[in-house]
Amino acid sequence: LKPIWLQRLLPFHVPSPASFSIAAMFARILGRGAAPMAGQRLQGLQGAAGAQEMQTRSVATLKTLSLRMRSIKNMQKITKAMKMVATAKFKKDNARMEAGLPFASPVMNLFQRLPVEDKAGGVTYVAITSDKGLCGGVNTQVAKQVRNGITDEEAKGNATKVIVVGGKGVSGMKRLYGDRFSYSFEEVSKVPFTFGQASLIAERLAASKPARAKIVSNEFKSMVAYDTIAMHTFTKDEAQTIDRSEWTKAMDVYSFEPALYEVWDDLHEFYYGCSIYACYLQSATVETAQRMSAMENASKNAGEMYDKVSLQFNRARQAKITTELCEIISGASAV
């Protein structure tokens, strides 16, 4: 036995070798059963945390899918409404085109009797586009044809100028070919296009005195078909260089009063106005027809997308219900 003062100075007890062996034996006996119990507790904690994380993820997924389904449904309603509006506008544009083309066709047919000769000289392109989009590749095709024409003419050494009708044509060519712009007319479709508006554009074209001119627009074929054309427009310079025999053969079929040389300037400006008027009427009809098709396809695609997202939503909801049932059954069996 140690004295009391030594026990107070040495509060800790130094065990003997025998006590070390006894403690090791108890640790081995207890360790055999304690390790599985600790593993089960750890696995149970991990399983609970995993189930809670899966449940949280499932709730977040359901909420995200629900919001996506709602946005797709709203988008489908918008596209259906736009299709209805385009259908109503198409009827009006088609009636306006059918009434306007007989007015412009006679003078256009008169000048189309003149022979077309490919000569060197500057070219002025009149690009007719729309002010609104969501109508397929209507405006893109016009801008592409104008860009290709500018590239080809400048490769031959000819100067080019561009007169743009419609906001989409301006935005499509302004970045690369803005320095070629002579005039641009935007917000033209706010009111129904008339021959007076076409005359204002024709006046600007005549004032620029082009050596050659081409009107790039969309020609209406049917509800689903159209052609993008670059219509050659005769200028005064070209008319002066035409062979007299060819000129007589083309113009003597018609009778003019007063004489042709007296009304030639007015007739030529009227020809510019009729050409622009007819091309714009066809382009407007093509725009609304293609918008109808585009909105119908968009509504169809939105419906297909909604079905896919709805299927994902139902699968996620079913997985959540199954997980909750498994947790309830596991809890009941544990009790």
Side-chain angles (χ1 to χ4, degrees):
L1 295 176
K2 298 181 179 64
I4 296 174
W5 62 271
L6 184 58
Q7 292 178 7
R8 290 178 180 176
L9 290 176
L10 299 173
F12 57 89
H13 177 65
V14 180
S16 61
S19 61
F20 274 117
S21 60
I22 294 172
M25 181 181 66
F26 277 106
R28 286 196 301 271
I29 295 172
L30 294 175
R32 293 171 186 172
M37 292 176 63
Q40 291 177 1
R41 290 180 180 177
L42 181 60
Q43 187 177 2
L45 290 173
Q46 291 177 351
Q52 186 176 4
E53 183 181 357
M54 184 182 300
Q55 188 173 2
T56 304
R57 191 187 311 120
S58 178
V59 171
T61 303
L62 288 175
K63 186 175 181 181
T64 304
L65 292 176
S66 178
L67 293 175
R68 190 180 300 174
M69 289 169 62
R70 187 185 307 170
S71 63
I72 292 173
K73 206 66 178 177
N74 294 335
M75 192 183 305
Q76 190 177 26
K77 292 179 182 178
I78 293 172
T79 53
K80 286 183 178 179
M82 291 184 67
K83 180 189 174 183
M84 294 175 61
V85 173
T87 303
K89 289 187 67 177
F90 172 76
K91 294 179 180 179
K92 296 180 180 179
D93 291 338
N94 192 27
R96 198 176 294 115
M97 180 188 68
E98 291 177 352
L101 288 182
F103 169 77
S105 296
V107 68
M108 294 174 63
N109 294 333
L110 167 65
F111 278 84
Q112 285 176 0
R113 294 176 58 87
L114 298 174
V116 179
E117 298 178 3
D118 190 8
K119 296 183 178 180
V123 184
T124 299
Y125 287 94
V126 181
I128 297 180
T129 59
S130 65
D131 290 315
K132 298 179 181 179
L134 299 178
C135 52
V138 171
N139 301 311
T140 305
Q141 293 298 324
V142 173
K144 180 180 179 181
Q145 190 149 348
V146 172
R147 289 196 299 266
N148 293 339
I150 291 174
T151 303
D152 294 341
E153 292 295 335
E154 291 183 349
K156 298 176 183 177
N158 300 324
T160 56
K161 295 181 181 179
V162 181
I163 297 176
V164 186
V165 181
K168 289 299 179 180
V170 174
S171 61
M173 294 182 289
K174 180 172 62 176
R175 186 172 65 88
L176 296 177
Y177 301 96
D179 56 340
R180 280 86 161 178
F181 284 8
S182 299
Y183 301 98
S184 62
F185 302 89
E186 301 183 42
E187 303 295 337
V188 180
S189 59
K190 278 191 172 182
V191 294
F193 195 76
T194 61
F195 185 74
Q197 293 173 298
S199 299
L200 292 175
I201 301 172
E203 184 180 355
R204 302 294 191 280
L205 177 61
S208 63
K209 296 180 180 180
R212 291 182 296 157
K214 292 183 179 181
I215 300 177
V216 184
S217 63
N218 295 302
E219 184 180 9
F220 180 78
K221 294 294 185 182
S222 65
M223 285 285 296
V224 295
Y226 68 95
D227 290 334
T228 304
I229 59 172
M231 187 180 71
H232 180 80
T233 307
F234 283 94
T235 62
K236 291 183 179 181
D237 292 345
E238 288 181 316
Q240 292 173 358
T241 58
I242 294 177
D243 185 62
R244 300 310 299 176
S245 60
E246 296 291 340
W247 172 269
T248 303
K249 187 188 300 183
M251 291 298 176
D252 285 351
V253 181
Y254 298 87
S255 59
F256 297 91
E257 187 175 342
L260 178 59
Y261 66 88
E262 296 180 9
V263 298
W264 170 251
D265 292 339
D266 296 335
L267 179 63
H268 196 269
E269 291 181 3
F270 182 68
Y271 164 65
Y272 278 163
C274 288
S275 299
I276 295 172
Y277 182 59
C279 290
Y280 190 91
L281 290 179
Q282 295 198 64
S283 295
T285 308
V286 170
E287 175 197 351
T288 51
Q290 293 302 309
R291 184 172 288 115
M292 286 173 55
S293 301
M295 292 302 103
E296 184 178 359
N297 293 333
S299 301
K300 182 180 177 181
N301 293 337
E304 294 177 357
M305 189 182 299
Y306 182 84
D307 293 339
K308 291 181 181 179
V309 177
S310 178
L311 181 61
Q312 294 178 1
F313 177 81
N314 292 331
R315 285 178 178 174
R317 184 170 59 87
Q318 190 65 35
K320 180 185 176 184
I321 294 172
T322 306
T323 304
E324 291 178 354
L325 288 175
C326 291
E327 291 176 358
I328 294 171
I329 294 170
S330 300
S333 63
V335 172

